[in-house]
Amino acid sequence: ADPNNGTVPTPLTNYLDTQYFGEISIGSPAQMFNVVFDTGSANLWVPSQRCSPFSTACFTHNRYDSSQSHTHVENGTGFSINYASGTIRGFLSEDVVVVGGLPVVQVFAEATSLSAMPFIFAKFDGVLGMGYPNVAIDGITPVFDRIMSQHVLKEEVFSIYYNRDPKHSPGGELLLGGSDPNYYIGNFNYLETREMGKWEVTMKGVSVGVETMFCAEGCTAVIDTGSSYITGPASSVSRLMKTIGAQLDETGYKVNCDTVKMLPSVTFQLGGQEYSLTHEDYIIWQSQIEGDVCTVTFRGLDVPPPTGPIWILGANFIARYYTEFDRRNNRIGFATAV
Ligand SMILES: CCc1nc(N)nc(N)c1-c1ccc2c(c1)N(CCCOC)[C@H](c1ccccc1)CC2
């Protein structure tokens, strides 16, 4: 392990700037899985060898086989988890999990059914929740909490780099115990987490160009490494899209690629700093046979109270702003990503 902070960086794969995942192992001998390191949830699950034959999304992914691991401990408690975009059902097991070179004995879920939509689109096998313990289903101690209790980390933080240029590797990096100067420039600006136990902060406004159009009275922003896009209240996002001339079709908001270069910046006011995204940050430009398609990486999503209304800042925001999640001081740090 790296002498600096007790761990080794985990390189991430970038799939089309919309999915970022890295490798962990579970069991002895090691069974390898690709997982999203997800600050929007706090549980670890991977597909199970005992998947129901009707779960297509399960059979196209690596599956955990407890009968092949001599460190497996039976549990069997039922489990289900819902994301903004899908549901997982299964049961609990315990085994040795190795993340960033660190082994922990971990309770996790073996998924026996994954909602086909959208898990058939998932290029990763499972999810490793990096959220706080109080959002963990079944009160299971999350992986990062197990690592912190080993006192091997130089700092009780983890950092995420998402590369937004799929042609260059690594597609990203998870670093446990510190931040990686190779992937950011300048200093970190820190924001206190809004509510104990969630990776969310208070946002002071959302501007398009120079005009603050939304959240002028203050609102909540969730910093979510498990979301591809930026989501906001549907009415706000629909007005934002109208302002930039985007049309909603069945796969999301699209703009005419000829207009992309003139699109305004969208700025998020967080902790006295302004975090701007340019069209290069929020447009995915795909050249297809029938012509170029320019997708806007914003989605309307109404999260019901008391959690909502919220804005979720996902991968396209994190790709621009290298992010440090600090459990010691309950704060989030942003620096300009390289
Ligand atoms: C990581 C788990 C998770 N955690 C949180 N907090 N939010 C959400 N939305 C997810 C989630 C669940 C399912 C899927 C997902 C994400 N995907 C996005 C990966 C993002 O990787 C950074 C992919 C996708 C492809 C097509 C359309 C929608 C989604 C596969 C399906």
Short mmCIF file of all heavy atoms in Angstrom, two decimals, residues 291-337:
data_model
loop_
_atom_site.label_atom_id
_atom_site.label_comp_id
_atom_site.label_asym_id
_atom_site.label_seq_id
_atom_site.Cartn_x
_atom_site.Cartn_y
_atom_site.Cartn_z
N GLY A 291 -26.29 11.54 -38.51
CA GLY A 291 -25.93 12.94 -38.20
C GLY A 291 -25.52 13.05 -36.74
O GLY A 291 -25.65 12.12 -35.95
N ASP A 292 -25.03 14.24 -36.36
CA ASP A 292 -24.55 14.45 -34.98
C ASP A 292 -25.72 14.64 -34.04
O ASP A 292 -26.72 15.27 -34.41
CB ASP A 292 -23.63 15.68 -34.93
CG ASP A 292 -22.29 15.37 -35.60
OD1 ASP A 292 -22.18 14.23 -36.12
OD2 ASP A 292 -21.40 16.22 -35.63
N VAL A 293 -25.58 14.09 -32.82
CA VAL A 293 -26.62 14.25 -31.80
C VAL A 293 -25.97 14.93 -30.59
O VAL A 293 -24.93 14.46 -30.11
CB VAL A 293 -27.20 12.87 -31.38
CG1 VAL A 293 -28.16 13.03 -30.22
CG2 VAL A 293 -27.88 12.21 -32.57
N CYS A 294 -26.56 16.05 -30.14
CA CYS A 294 -26.01 16.78 -28.99
C CYS A 294 -26.99 16.71 -27.83
O CYS A 294 -28.07 17.30 -27.89
CB CYS A 294 -25.70 18.22 -29.38
SG CYS A 294 -24.25 18.29 -30.47
N THR A 295 -26.61 15.92 -26.80
CA THR A 295 -27.46 15.70 -25.62
C THR A 295 -27.02 16.63 -24.49
O THR A 295 -25.82 16.80 -24.25
CB THR A 295 -27.31 14.24 -25.14
OG1 THR A 295 -27.58 13.37 -26.24
CG2 THR A 295 -28.27 13.94 -24.00
N VAL A 296 -28.03 17.22 -23.84
CA VAL A 296 -27.74 18.09 -22.69
C VAL A 296 -27.76 17.21 -21.44
O VAL A 296 -28.72 16.47 -21.21
CB VAL A 296 -28.81 19.20 -22.55
CG1 VAL A 296 -28.34 20.24 -21.52
CG2 VAL A 296 -29.07 19.88 -23.89
N THR A 297 -26.69 17.26 -20.63
CA THR A 297 -26.61 16.33 -19.49
C THR A 297 -27.28 16.94 -18.25
O THR A 297 -26.68 17.02 -17.18
CB THR A 297 -25.14 15.98 -19.19
OG1 THR A 297 -24.43 17.19 -18.92
CG2 THR A 297 -24.54 15.25 -20.35
N PHE A 298 -28.51 17.39 -18.44
CA PHE A 298 -29.39 17.83 -17.34
C PHE A 298 -30.66 17.00 -17.45
O PHE A 298 -31.09 16.66 -18.57
CB PHE A 298 -29.78 19.31 -17.48
CG PHE A 298 -28.70 20.28 -17.06
CD1 PHE A 298 -27.62 20.54 -17.87
CD2 PHE A 298 -28.79 20.93 -15.83
CE1 PHE A 298 -26.63 21.44 -17.47
CE2 PHE A 298 -27.81 21.84 -15.44
CZ PHE A 298 -26.72 22.09 -16.26
N ARG A 299 -31.25 16.70 -16.30
CA ARG A 299 -32.52 15.96 -16.29
C ARG A 299 -33.43 16.59 -15.26
O ARG A 299 -32.95 17.03 -14.20
CB ARG A 299 -32.27 14.51 -15.84
CG ARG A 299 -31.67 13.61 -16.86
CD ARG A 299 -32.76 12.93 -17.67
NE ARG A 299 -32.23 11.82 -18.45
CZ ARG A 299 -31.36 11.94 -19.44
NH1 ARG A 299 -30.91 13.13 -19.77
NH2 ARG A 299 -30.92 10.89 -20.09
N GLY A 300 -34.71 16.60 -15.56
CA GLY A 300 -35.67 17.04 -14.54
C GLY A 300 -35.93 15.85 -13.62
O GLY A 300 -36.07 14.72 -14.10
N LEU A 301 -35.92 16.07 -12.31
CA LEU A 301 -36.24 14.99 -11.38
C LEU A 301 -36.85 15.62 -10.14
O LEU A 301 -36.21 16.41 -9.44
CB LEU A 301 -34.98 14.20 -10.99
CG LEU A 301 -35.21 13.09 -9.95
CD1 LEU A 301 -35.95 11.92 -10.59
CD2 LEU A 301 -33.89 12.62 -9.35
N ASP A 302 -38.12 15.30 -9.86
CA ASP A 302 -38.76 15.85 -8.67
C ASP A 302 -38.64 14.86 -7.53
O ASP A 302 -39.23 13.78 -7.57
CB ASP A 302 -40.23 16.16 -8.97
CG ASP A 302 -40.36 17.39 -9.87
OD1 ASP A 302 -39.64 18.37 -9.58
OD2 ASP A 302 -41.09 17.33 -10.88
N VAL A 303 -37.82 15.20 -6.53
CA VAL A 303 -37.67 14.36 -5.35
C VAL A 303 -38.66 14.87 -4.30
O VAL A 303 -38.61 16.06 -3.95
CB VAL A 303 -36.22 14.42 -4.80
CG1 VAL A 303 -36.08 13.61 -3.53
CG2 VAL A 303 -35.24 13.93 -5.87
N PRO A 304 -39.57 14.03 -3.84
CA PRO A 304 -40.62 14.52 -2.92
C PRO A 304 -40.04 14.99 -1.59
O PRO A 304 -39.00 14.50 -1.15
CB PRO A 304 -41.52 13.29 -2.74
CG PRO A 304 -40.74 12.12 -3.19
CD PRO A 304 -39.68 12.60 -4.14
N PRO A 305 -40.72 15.97 -0.94
CA PRO A 305 -40.31 16.39 0.40
C PRO A 305 -40.36 15.19 1.35
O PRO A 305 -41.05 14.22 1.03
CB PRO A 305 -41.37 17.44 0.77
CG PRO A 305 -41.97 17.88 -0.52
CD PRO A 305 -41.88 16.69 -1.43
N PRO A 306 -39.70 15.08 2.47
CA PRO A 306 -38.84 16.14 3.01
C PRO A 306 -37.45 16.17 2.35
O PRO A 306 -36.76 17.17 2.41
CB PRO A 306 -38.70 15.77 4.49
CG PRO A 306 -38.80 14.27 4.50
CD PRO A 306 -39.74 13.91 3.38
N THR A 307 -37.08 15.08 1.64
CA THR A 307 -35.73 15.11 1.01
C THR A 307 -35.66 16.23 -0.03
O THR A 307 -34.75 17.03 -0.03
CB THR A 307 -35.44 13.77 0.31
OG1 THR A 307 -35.78 12.72 1.20
CG2 THR A 307 -33.98 13.68 -0.09
N GLY A 308 -36.66 16.28 -0.89
CA GLY A 308 -36.64 17.24 -1.99
C GLY A 308 -37.35 18.52 -1.59
O GLY A 308 -37.88 18.61 -0.49
N PRO A 309 -37.44 19.55 -2.45
CA PRO A 309 -36.81 19.56 -3.79
C PRO A 309 -35.30 19.75 -3.69
O PRO A 309 -34.81 20.46 -2.80
CB PRO A 309 -37.47 20.76 -4.48
CG PRO A 309 -37.88 21.68 -3.36
CD PRO A 309 -38.17 20.81 -2.19
N ILE A 310 -34.58 19.03 -4.57
CA ILE A 310 -33.11 19.10 -4.53
C ILE A 310 -32.57 19.18 -5.96
O ILE A 310 -33.25 18.82 -6.92
CB ILE A 310 -32.47 17.85 -3.88
CG1 ILE A 310 -32.96 16.56 -4.55
CG2 ILE A 310 -32.73 17.81 -2.38
CD1 ILE A 310 -32.20 15.33 -4.12
N TRP A 311 -31.34 19.68 -6.03
CA TRP A 311 -30.53 19.54 -7.25
C TRP A 311 -29.51 18.46 -6.96
O TRP A 311 -28.97 18.39 -5.86
CB TRP A 311 -29.82 20.85 -7.57
CG TRP A 311 -30.75 21.94 -8.04
CD1 TRP A 311 -31.59 22.69 -7.26
CD2 TRP A 311 -30.91 22.40 -9.38
NE1 TRP A 311 -32.29 23.58 -8.05
CE2 TRP A 311 -31.89 23.43 -9.35
CE3 TRP A 311 -30.34 22.05 -10.62
CZ2 TRP A 311 -32.30 24.10 -10.50
CZ3 TRP A 311 -30.76 22.72 -11.76
CH2 TRP A 311 -31.72 23.72 -11.70
N ILE A 312 -29.27 17.58 -7.93
CA ILE A 312 -28.25 16.54 -7.79
C ILE A 312 -27.12 16.88 -8.76
O ILE A 312 -27.36 17.02 -9.97
CB ILE A 312 -28.80 15.14 -8.10
CG1 ILE A 312 -29.92 14.77 -7.11
CG2 ILE A 312 -27.69 14.09 -8.07
CD1 ILE A 312 -30.60 13.43 -7.40
N LEU A 313 -25.92 17.08 -8.25
CA LEU A 313 -24.75 17.37 -9.10
C LEU A 313 -23.99 16.06 -9.28
O LEU A 313 -23.40 15.54 -8.34
CB LEU A 313 -23.88 18.45 -8.45
CG LEU A 313 -24.60 19.77 -8.12
CD1 LEU A 313 -23.61 20.79 -7.55
CD2 LEU A 313 -25.29 20.35 -9.36
N GLY A 314 -24.03 15.52 -10.49
CA GLY A 314 -23.49 14.19 -10.76
C GLY A 314 -22.17 14.22 -11.51
O GLY A 314 -21.40 15.19 -11.43
N ALA A 315 -21.93 13.18 -12.29
CA ALA A 315 -20.63 12.96 -12.93
C ALA A 315 -20.17 14.13 -13.78
O ALA A 315 -18.99 14.48 -13.76
CB ALA A 315 -20.70 11.69 -13.79
N ASN A 316 -21.09 14.78 -14.51
CA ASN A 316 -20.63 15.86 -15.40
C ASN A 316 -20.14 17.05 -14.59
O ASN A 316 -19.26 17.80 -15.04
CB ASN A 316 -21.72 16.24 -16.40
CG ASN A 316 -23.02 16.62 -15.71
OD1 ASN A 316 -23.20 16.39 -14.52
ND2 ASN A 316 -23.93 17.22 -16.44
N PHE A 317 -20.65 17.24 -13.36
CA PHE A 317 -20.13 18.31 -12.50
C PHE A 317 -18.78 17.89 -11.90
O PHE A 317 -17.79 18.63 -11.93
CB PHE A 317 -21.13 18.60 -11.37
CG PHE A 317 -20.73 19.74 -10.48
CD1 PHE A 317 -21.06 21.05 -10.80
CD2 PHE A 317 -20.00 19.52 -9.32
CE1 PHE A 317 -20.67 22.12 -9.99
CE2 PHE A 317 -19.59 20.57 -8.50
CZ PHE A 317 -19.95 21.87 -8.84
N ILE A 318 -18.70 16.66 -11.41
CA ILE A 318 -17.49 16.15 -10.75
C ILE A 318 -16.32 16.06 -11.75
O ILE A 318 -15.16 16.27 -11.42
CB ILE A 318 -17.80 14.81 -10.06
CG1 ILE A 318 -18.73 15.08 -8.88
CG2 ILE A 318 -16.54 14.09 -9.62
CD1 ILE A 318 -19.51 13.88 -8.40
N ALA A 319 -16.67 15.80 -13.04
CA ALA A 319 -15.61 15.74 -14.06
C ALA A 319 -14.91 17.09 -14.19
O ALA A 319 -13.73 17.18 -14.50
CB ALA A 319 -16.21 15.32 -15.39
N ARG A 320 -15.62 18.16 -13.91
CA ARG A 320 -15.03 19.51 -14.01
C ARG A 320 -14.38 19.92 -12.68
O ARG A 320 -13.38 20.63 -12.67
CB ARG A 320 -16.15 20.49 -14.40
CG ARG A 320 -15.73 21.93 -14.49
CD ARG A 320 -14.86 22.21 -15.70
NE ARG A 320 -14.22 23.52 -15.59
CZ ARG A 320 -14.77 24.65 -16.04
NH1 ARG A 320 -15.95 24.61 -16.63
NH2 ARG A 320 -14.15 25.79 -15.89
N TYR A 321 -14.95 19.48 -11.57
CA TYR A 321 -14.46 19.88 -10.24
C TYR A 321 -14.09 18.65 -9.43
O TYR A 321 -14.95 17.92 -8.95
CB TYR A 321 -15.52 20.73 -9.52
CG TYR A 321 -15.78 22.03 -10.27
CD1 TYR A 321 -16.93 22.20 -11.04
CD2 TYR A 321 -14.83 23.04 -10.28
CE1 TYR A 321 -17.13 23.37 -11.77
CE2 TYR A 321 -15.01 24.21 -11.02
CZ TYR A 321 -16.16 24.36 -11.77
OH TYR A 321 -16.35 25.50 -12.51
N TYR A 322 -12.75 18.43 -9.30
CA TYR A 322 -12.22 17.32 -8.50
C TYR A 322 -12.78 17.46 -7.09
O TYR A 322 -12.78 18.56 -6.51
CB TYR A 322 -10.69 17.41 -8.48
CG TYR A 322 -9.98 16.28 -7.76
CD1 TYR A 322 -9.57 15.15 -8.45
CD2 TYR A 322 -9.71 16.36 -6.40
CE1 TYR A 322 -8.89 14.12 -7.80
CE2 TYR A 322 -9.05 15.34 -5.74
CZ TYR A 322 -8.64 14.22 -6.43
OH TYR A 322 -7.98 13.20 -5.78
N THR A 323 -13.29 16.36 -6.52
CA THR A 323 -14.05 16.45 -5.28
C THR A 323 -13.46 15.61 -4.16
O THR A 323 -13.16 14.42 -4.36
CB THR A 323 -15.51 16.01 -5.52
OG1 THR A 323 -16.03 16.71 -6.66
CG2 THR A 323 -16.38 16.32 -4.31
N GLU A 324 -13.26 16.24 -2.99
CA GLU A 324 -12.80 15.54 -1.80
C GLU A 324 -13.95 15.45 -0.80
O GLU A 324 -14.58 16.47 -0.48
CB GLU A 324 -11.62 16.29 -1.16
CG GLU A 324 -11.12 15.65 0.13
CD GLU A 324 -10.00 16.44 0.79
OE1 GLU A 324 -8.86 16.29 0.34
OE2 GLU A 324 -10.29 17.22 1.71
N PHE A 325 -14.24 14.24 -0.36
CA PHE A 325 -15.31 14.01 0.61
C PHE A 325 -14.66 13.76 1.97
O PHE A 325 -13.93 12.78 2.14
CB PHE A 325 -16.16 12.81 0.18
CG PHE A 325 -16.87 13.01 -1.15
CD1 PHE A 325 -16.24 12.73 -2.35
CD2 PHE A 325 -18.15 13.53 -1.18
CE1 PHE A 325 -16.89 12.93 -3.57
CE2 PHE A 325 -18.82 13.73 -2.40
CZ PHE A 325 -18.17 13.43 -3.59
N ASP A 326 -14.90 14.68 2.91
CA ASP A 326 -14.16 14.70 4.17
C ASP A 326 -15.07 14.27 5.33
O ASP A 326 -15.91 15.04 5.80
CB ASP A 326 -13.63 16.13 4.41
CG ASP A 326 -12.77 16.24 5.68
OD1 ASP A 326 -12.88 15.36 6.56
OD2 ASP A 326 -12.02 17.23 5.78
N ARG A 327 -14.88 13.00 5.82
CA ARG A 327 -15.74 12.50 6.91
C ARG A 327 -15.28 13.03 8.26
O ARG A 327 -16.05 13.07 9.20
CB ARG A 327 -15.67 10.94 6.90
CG ARG A 327 -16.52 10.26 5.86
CD ARG A 327 -18.00 10.41 6.13
NE ARG A 327 -18.41 9.86 7.40
CZ ARG A 327 -18.72 8.57 7.60
NH1 ARG A 327 -18.65 7.71 6.58
NH2 ARG A 327 -19.09 8.12 8.79
N ARG A 328 -14.00 13.41 8.36
CA ARG A 328 -13.47 13.91 9.64
C ARG A 328 -14.11 15.24 10.00
O ARG A 328 -14.50 15.49 11.12
CB ARG A 328 -11.94 14.08 9.49
CG ARG A 328 -11.20 14.55 10.72
CD ARG A 328 -10.74 13.37 11.57
NE ARG A 328 -10.06 13.78 12.78
CZ ARG A 328 -10.68 14.31 13.84
NH1 ARG A 328 -12.00 14.48 13.80
NH2 ARG A 328 -10.01 14.66 14.91
N ASN A 329 -14.24 16.10 8.98
CA ASN A 329 -14.76 17.46 9.21
C ASN A 329 -16.15 17.65 8.62
O ASN A 329 -16.65 18.78 8.60
CB ASN A 329 -13.80 18.49 8.58
CG ASN A 329 -12.40 18.38 9.16
OD1 ASN A 329 -12.20 18.56 10.35
ND2 ASN A 329 -11.44 18.02 8.31
N ASN A 330 -16.76 16.58 8.13
CA ASN A 330 -18.10 16.68 7.50
C ASN A 330 -18.16 17.86 6.53
O ASN A 330 -18.94 18.81 6.71
CB ASN A 330 -19.19 16.82 8.57
CG ASN A 330 -19.32 15.54 9.38
OD1 ASN A 330 -19.33 14.45 8.81
ND2 ASN A 330 -19.34 15.67 10.69
N ARG A 331 -17.31 17.80 5.52
CA ARG A 331 -17.29 18.87 4.51
C ARG A 331 -16.90 18.27 3.16
O ARG A 331 -16.41 17.14 3.10
CB ARG A 331 -16.30 19.96 4.91
CG ARG A 331 -14.87 19.46 4.96
CD ARG A 331 -13.88 20.53 5.40
NE ARG A 331 -12.51 20.03 5.25
CZ ARG A 331 -11.43 20.76 5.43
NH1 ARG A 331 -11.54 22.05 5.78
NH2 ARG A 331 -10.22 20.24 5.26
N ILE A 332 -17.18 19.03 2.12
CA ILE A 332 -16.84 18.61 0.74
C ILE A 332 -15.92 19.69 0.18
O ILE A 332 -16.19 20.89 0.33
CB ILE A 332 -18.12 18.48 -0.11
CG1 ILE A 332 -19.00 17.33 0.42
CG2 ILE A 332 -17.77 18.23 -1.58
CD1 ILE A 332 -20.35 17.20 -0.26
N GLY A 333 -14.82 19.27 -0.46
CA GLY A 333 -13.90 20.22 -1.07
C GLY A 333 -13.93 20.08 -2.59
O GLY A 333 -13.98 18.97 -3.11
N PHE A 334 -13.94 21.23 -3.29
CA PHE A 334 -13.88 21.24 -4.76
C PHE A 334 -12.62 21.96 -5.20
O PHE A 334 -12.26 23.01 -4.65
CB PHE A 334 -15.09 21.99 -5.36
CG PHE A 334 -16.41 21.32 -5.14
CD1 PHE A 334 -17.42 21.94 -4.43
CD2 PHE A 334 -16.66 20.05 -5.67
CE1 PHE A 334 -18.65 21.32 -4.23
CE2 PHE A 334 -17.89 19.42 -5.48
CZ PHE A 334 -18.88 20.06 -4.77
N ALA A 335 -11.95 21.38 -6.22
CA ALA A 335 -10.82 22.05 -6.87
C ALA A 335 -10.98 21.84 -8.37
O ALA A 335 -11.65 20.88 -8.79
CB ALA A 335 -9.50 21.46 -6.39
N THR A 336 -10.40 22.72 -9.16
CA THR A 336 -10.53 22.58 -10.61
C THR A 336 -9.81 21.32 -11.08
O THR A 336 -8.63 21.14 -10.79
CB THR A 336 -9.94 23.82 -11.30
OG1 THR A 336 -10.66 24.97 -10.82
CG2 THR A 336 -10.09 23.72 -12.82
N ALA A 337 -10.54 20.44 -11.75
CA ALA A 337 -9.93 19.19 -12.25
C ALA A 337 -9.04 19.51 -13.45
O ALA A 337 -9.30 20.47 -14.19
CB ALA A 337 -11.02 18.20 -12.65
#
